[in-house]
Amino acid sequence: MKERIEGLHHIGIPTKNMEATVDFYSSFGGEVIFEKEDTHEGKPIQVVLMKFMDTVFEFYEREQTTSNTGAIEHLAFSVNDIDGLYKIAKNIGYDFMQECVDRVQMSTYWPNSLRWFIVYGANGEKIEFCQSITV
C-alpha cells in the first residue's frame, strides 16, 4: 500500500466563516490558489484552497463544525493508482465513508479532475486518498 502513496495532498478544514478563515491564514503567508462556489446538502457554499509553501489547505463552508481544539476534518494523501489502492483498502477491510463503500468518487471542489475515497482511521479521523486525473 505505501508504494502507492506519494505524500500529503492537502488538509481539509471546515469553516463557518470563510472570510475570517482566509483573512486569518493570509495574515501569516497563506495564498489563495483556487476558489469556487459549490453546494453541500442543497445549499451554496464557498470552497477555498490556500497554499503554504508545499502544503495545501482545503477550506469549505459548513453550518456545523466541531470547534474542538485539534479537530481537523481530514488528511488527504496523493496516490499514483487510486483504483489499485481502493482494491487494497477493500481487501484490508478498512471502514469506508458511506459515499465510498461501492466506488471511488470524483471531486467537484478541485480545479482539475480529482478522484478520491475516504476511510476512517483508528480514532475516527477521515483519511482521504486522491489522485489528480489528466483530462
Side-chain angles (χ1 to χ4, degrees), residues 1-9 76-81 85 129-132:
M1 190 162 178
K2 73 179 184 177
E3 60 276 352
R4 289 189 166 89
I5 297 174
E6 297 176 323
L8 184 67
H9 188 271
F77 293 98
S78 291
V79 302
N80 57 26
D81 179 7
L85 191 65
F129 300 97
C130 55
Q131 181 177 14
S132 295

Side-chain angles (χ1 to χ4, degrees), residues 49-117:
L49 305 180
M50 293 187 79
K51 190 168 186 175
F52 299 85
M53 291 175 244
D54 293 332
T55 303
V56 174
F57 285 73
E58 175 188 58
F59 299 108
Y60 42 94
E61 291 180 317
R62 294 293 187 264
E63 289 181 16
Q64 298 291 328
T65 62
T66 61
S67 299
N68 293 334
T69 300
I72 291 176
E73 207 270 341
H74 68 275
L75 297 175
F77 293 98
S78 291
V79 302
N80 57 26
D81 179 7
I82 193 76
D83 295 309
L85 191 65
Y86 183 82
K87 288 176 188 172
I88 290 169
K90 289 295 268 188
N91 287 337
I92 289 173
Y94 285 135
D95 182 17
F96 283 78
M97 188 171 84
Q98 185 61 41
E99 295 95 311
C100 304
V101 168
D102 295 320
R103 68 182 186 284
V104 173
Q105 300 292 310
M106 181 69 77
S107 178
T108 62
Y109 282 13
W110 287 78
N112 301 313
S113 298
L114 186 80
R115 296 184 63 222
W116 60 274
F117 69 91

Side-chain angles (χ1 to χ4, degrees), residues 36-47:
K36 72 172 286 195
E37 290 187 16
D38 207 280
T39 59
H40 176 73
E41 297 179 347
K43 296 178 183 174
I45 64 165
Q46 275 188 288
V47 177

